[in-house]
């Protein structure tokens, strides 16, 4: 039973446009959410996170939005760049602060930025 | 810091053979995690250790899988005997307790 769902296995976006990656969760105990980015032949690296007390967190070109009532979060990348092509994993934690020992990951979305 | 170091990067073996994957966590991190990535299931947590003690091994698929952490700077994940369905990328990750997770580059395992 997938508690964190990324329903789009892949997404193709033109360079310069906005990329929107979506994530849904089922466990109402989750209160901290993270996005990890993974390049081929490398391990995932932390990108951005959000606590359940917020509905938006921004870091440069990356913004994460959280809709608790819908149990939905999204990652926006504006503008998209070729180096953003990677697999993006959504993760959720029931531990305050997003403790690593409580993380549940989605299956990932492969983002392809086309020139 | 060198980051989380995993070896080997690639492992090709035949069904029935023993496979041992190795991990050196980041110095100072007291939590260590083994994950498996497949297309079907994404990133699955297999087991995690805190202060060298296994805390949760509920993700270990079968008795064929075992993991050890004899000291704070080394861990192994062993599969014996290996089967083709074990083919996946295995990641080791480490963190300080309740802090961000740092991943190694992974071991690509192919069991023929």
């Amino acid at each position: 039973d997938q508690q964190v769902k990324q329903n789009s296995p892949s997404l193709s976006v033109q360079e310069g446009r906005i990329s929107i990656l979506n994530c849904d969760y089922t466990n109402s105990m989750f209160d901290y959410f993270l996005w990890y980015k993974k390049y081929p032949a490398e391990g995932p690296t932390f990108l951005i996170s959000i606590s359940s007390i917020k509905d938006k967190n921004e870091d440069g070109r990356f913004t994460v939005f959280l809709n608790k009532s819908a149990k939905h979060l999204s990652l926006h990348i504006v503008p998209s760049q070729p180096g953003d092509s990677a697999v993006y994993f959504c993760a959720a934690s029931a531990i305050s602060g997003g403790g690593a020992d409580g993380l549940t990951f989605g299956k990932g979305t492969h983002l392809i930025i086309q020139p | 810091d060198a980051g989380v170091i995993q070896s080997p990067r690639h492992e090709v073996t035949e069904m029935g053979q023993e496979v041992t994957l190795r991990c050196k966590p980041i110095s100072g991190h007291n939590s260590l995690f083994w994950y498996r990535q497949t297309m079907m299931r994404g990133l699955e947590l297999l087991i995690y250790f805190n202060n060298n003690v296994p805390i949760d091994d509920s993700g270990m698929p079968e008795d064929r899988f075992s993991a050890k952490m004899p000291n704070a700077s080394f861990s192994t994940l062993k599969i014996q005997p290996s089967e083709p369905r074990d083919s996946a990328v295995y990641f080791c990750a480490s963190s300080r307790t309740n802090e961000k997770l740092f991943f190694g580059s992974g071991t690509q395992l192919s069991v023929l």
Side-chain angles (χ1 to χ4, degrees):
Chain A
D1 179 32
Q2 284 266 313
Q3 296 188 62
V4 177
K5 300 177 184 178
Q6 295 177 256
N7 293 319
S8 298
S10 66
L11 175 67
S12 184
V13 175
Q14 200 166 12
E15 182 179 358
R17 299 287 185 99
I18 181 171
S19 295
I20 300 177
L21 293 88
N22 293 304
C23 178
D24 297 292
Y25 60 96
T26 58
N27 188 341
S28 57
M29 298 299 290
F30 288 148
D31 69 353
Y32 202 87
F33 305 89
L34 308 90
W35 286 92
Y36 277 77
K37 178 179 180 179
K38 183 187 175 306
Y39 291 119
E42 294 183 12
T45 55
F46 171 75
L47 183 60
I48 192 170
S49 63
I50 187 167
S51 164
S52 62
I53 63 173
K54 295 185 175 182
D55 55 18
K56 176 183 175 182
N57 188 27
E58 192 171 352
D59 182 2
R61 296 184 300 110
F62 302 89
T63 303
V64 56
F65 294 92
L66 176 62
N67 182 333
K68 290 188 291 293
S69 61
K71 294 191 177 67
H72 176 83
L73 63 155
S74 59
L75 174 68
H76 293 211
I77 307 173
V78 183
S80 301
Q81 298 175 354
D84 297 329
S85 295
V87 176
Y88 290 79
F89 289 98
C90 174
S93 174
I95 296 175
S96 177
D101 53 348
L103 283 183
T104 301
F105 284 87
K107 291 185 180 181
T109 296
H110 185 193
L111 176 64
I112 302 162
I113 305 301
Q114 295 182 335
Chain B
D1 199 320
V4 177
I5 299 173
Q6 290 187 247
S7 64
R9 289 297 306 271
H10 299 91
E11 176 79 36
V12 181
T13 191
E14 292 187 346
M15 182 173 63
Q17 296 297 306
E18 177 179 296
V19 174
T20 300
L21 311 182
R22 296 173 176 79
C23 176
K24 177 178 166 48
I26 292 173
S27 177
H29 284 189
N30 58 351
S31 293
L32 182 140
F33 306 78
W34 282 100
Y35 283 88
R36 177 171 69 177
Q37 183 193 6
T38 61
M39 290 293 291
M40 287 293 292
R41 302 174 71 87
L43 267 173
E44 299 176 273
L45 177 64
L46 300 178
I47 185 171
Y48 86 89
F49 296 83
N50 186 257
N51 294 322
N52 310 340
V53 176
I55 302 300
D56 182 0
D57 66 354
S58 59
M60 295 285 262
E62 300 172 31
D63 290 345
R64 297 184 297 107
F65 286 69
S66 63
K68 293 182 179 178
M69 191 164 187
N71 57 61
S73 58
F74 184 65
S75 177
T76 59
L77 177 68
K78 187 175 293 188
I79 308 173
Q80 165 63 22
S82 58
E83 297 182 2
R85 60 192 167 122
D86 302 331
S87 298
V89 182
Y90 291 80
F91 288 103
C92 176
S94 71
S95 74
R96 291 190 178 89
T97 302
N98 286 339
E99 293 189 8
K100 222 170 357 218
L101 203 56
F102 291 84
F103 284 84
S105 297
T107 295
Q108 173 77 58
L109 174 64
S110 297
V111 183
L112 307 177

